[in-house]
Amino acid sequence: MGRYIVYGGKKLFGITDIHGSKNAALPVLCGCIINSGINVIRNCPKITDVFNTCHILEKAGCKIKWDGSTVIVDSSKARFIVIDDELTGRMRSSIIFMGAFCGRFKKAVVSKPGGCRIGKRPVDIHIEALEQMGVVITEGLNCFSCSAGKMKPCEINLRFPSVGATENIMLTASCINGVTVIKNAACEPEIECLAEFLTSIGAETVCENGKITVCGTDKFNNTEFSIIPDRIEAGTYIAACACAGGEIFLKNANVSHMKKVIEVFEKTGCKISFCDGGIYVKSSGKDITPQNVKTGVYPYFPTDMQPQLMSVLTLAKGTSIINESVFENRFNHALELNKMGANIEIDGCVAAIKGVTKLEACELTAFDLRAGAGLIIAALTCDGISYVNGAEYIKRGYEAIDKSFADLGVSVRFENR
Ligand code: EPZ
């Protein structure tokens, strides 16, 4: 447990490195189970969800060795284990071990991942797709038992481009000789990163316009692979600059993954430019232009940037609208922002944010990872000291957010409790 103590009222000035992407690292690390060899994974973020994934890999007999931000996964002695609720309870995205285990071990037993504060998080799309691939899945009270001895390549058409389901299918298909096609697939940069990883170990995988083609194999090779930069981490610091003001440079940020985010923050009044090393942002922190934004699957505005944007829009010169179309309950942070003096009204999946002139420092609670980041951003705009409880959520997805903000000239201090 713990909290972040935010010393607000200062503009941001400085340069910070953007770390490897959480949502790319998790499926790639899970994929290391597939090739029964040595996987050198560079630019891996040191965050709780990565440590939890490595914990599962070690329980399954992989050898893990860290060298800076490089993690070496030796999966040559990996063996089948039950992914029990102790493991899925720590991190619901461990459901994608189902695909990797069906691929490597031709069986999987995975406890049902719970929902979380942002939604029920069902896995029906995962299950339907794997069954279509020939996996026989028995649903127990608390877990799914999968028998994958007779899988076959096929064409799968997803009813919704679920990121996790797409990853589960890709991981399974990489071990099925023949060509598996996924239509209406997720096409986030993190999906493309997983495709490049699978190609690097021998299962050529191509993503194009929402269609993914996986050429599965039973002959894999070792790999050295780099994780893409975290577009949500980079967007988080852009949002902080947009409302606190200042001039920052985000090293290693990949602008091609962030077109919609950059478009929206330029419309709020930020000056954003890019050179090959990263993204430069300048903002007065004043006269923020209200926005009307709907979150959506890539390449639309990412749901994982919604709380951070909401914090910025609480100080806009007018009323903004956010329509959260991906998750059914992702406005928990709005109640916390209203405690600071924001004026946000929620009606189902739509938030109306009437801009106010300033927010008041106070004690806040994060209920999920991105909400926590959004609250820190809001607290940076206030004169005085705010407290953001629920640091454990934030540490799941941000490597040393306190150090990154220190690089940018403001003080966000972690306090264990
Ligand atoms: C991934 O979650 C990310 N997590 C989330 O990031 C991100 O918000 C989400 O994709 C959307 O971009 C990781 O990559 C580890 P989905 P995932 O399956 O895979 C519904 C963060 O903050 N759905 O695309 O769980 C689901 O309920 C996290 O880093 C079904 O109905 O997202 C949701 O409404 C938060 N049935 C929508 O689809 C299914 O079988 C999107 O879910 C699967 C999903």
Side-chain angles (χ1 to χ4, degrees), residues 370-385:
R370 307 301 176 185
L375 295 177
I376 289 178
I377 287 168
L380 284 170
T381 69
C382 308
D383 293 328
I385 299 174

Side-chain angles (χ1 to χ4, degrees), residues 27 48 74 221 296 311 379:
T48 315
D74 177 352
N221 48 260
S311 293

Side-chain angles (χ1 to χ4, degrees), residues 17-269:
D17 287 321
I18 297 303
H19 301 93
S21 161
K22 166 177 91 82
N23 292 347
L26 301 185
V28 165
L29 287 169
C30 181
C32 293
I33 278 267
I34 285 170
N35 75 346
S36 178
I38 306 294
N39 307 270
V40 179
I41 310 297
R42 304 190 197 293
N43 198 34
C44 219
K46 294 187 168 180
I47 54 177
T48 315
D49 277 5
V50 163
F51 298 144
N52 282 331
T53 302
C54 290
H55 174 68
I56 295 175
L57 291 170
E58 284 182 313
K59 285 198 74 161
C62 296
K63 295 264 176 298
I64 301 280
K65 186 166 162 292
W66 281 90
D67 174 11
S69 64
T70 296
V71 58
I72 299 163
V73 181
D74 177 352
S75 57
S76 48
K77 295 195 171 50
R79 64 187 184 283
F80 172 81
I81 59 162
V82 171
I83 310 286
D84 60 26
D85 50 14
E86 192 271 328
L87 300 172
T88 55
R90 290 182 187 206
M91 184 182 64
R92 57 172 310 287
S93 57
S94 42
I95 184 77
I96 62 171
F97 273 95
M98 181 186 279
F101 273 43
C102 283
R104 169 91 184 256
F105 304 115
K106 308 305 174 214
K107 61 179 179 178
V109 176
V110 183
S111 283
K112 291 181 179 178
C116 67
R117 291 291 292 232
I118 65 176
K120 289 195 282 301
R121 315 292 291 270
V123 291
D124 55 310
I125 301 173
H126 299 240
I127 300 303
E128 283 157 25
L130 265 62
E131 285 177 334
Q132 197 183 331
M133 298 165 84
V135 181
V136 178
I137 301 178
T138 311
E139 181 172 354
L141 201 57
N142 299 314
C143 73
F144 295 108
S145 299
C146 307
S147 165
K150 296 195 178 59
M151 294 190 288
K152 56 191 186 315
C154 60
E155 180 171 299
I156 296 158
N157 204 331
L158 297 182
R159 70 170 173 80
F160 176 85
S162 153
V163 170
T166 301
E167 291 163 352
N168 240 335
I169 300 163
M170 290 165 76
L171 291 163
T172 310
S174 66
C175 302
I176 303 174
N177 278 311
V179 177
T180 297
V181 176
I182 313 167
K183 290 190 169 174
N184 194 32
C187 55
E188 277 70 3
E190 296 77 28
I191 295 287
E192 300 206 352
C193 186
L194 177 60
E196 284 164 26
F197 169 78
L198 292 175
T199 301
S200 79
I201 63 170
E204 193 184 342
T205 302
V206 177
C207 305
E208 52 184 346
N209 310 323
K211 184 176 99 171
I212 298 176
T213 306
V214 184
C215 300
T217 178
D218 49 18
K219 292 178 186 50
F220 293 100
N221 48 260
N222 295 341
T223 185
E224 294 206 18
F225 187 78
S226 280
I227 299 294
I228 58 169
D230 195 316
R231 60 192 170 104
I232 305 299
E233 182 190 19
T236 300
Y237 300 125
I238 292 175
C241 189
C243 57
E247 266 186 271
I248 62 173
F249 184 73
L250 304 174
K251 267 176 77 179
N252 312 322
N254 184 329
V255 67
S256 69
H257 296 161
M258 304 177 65
K259 290 196 177 95
K260 194 64 185 169
V261 170
I262 287 168
E263 178 193 307
V264 168
F265 283 105
E266 282 182 326
K267 284 182 181 169
T268 65

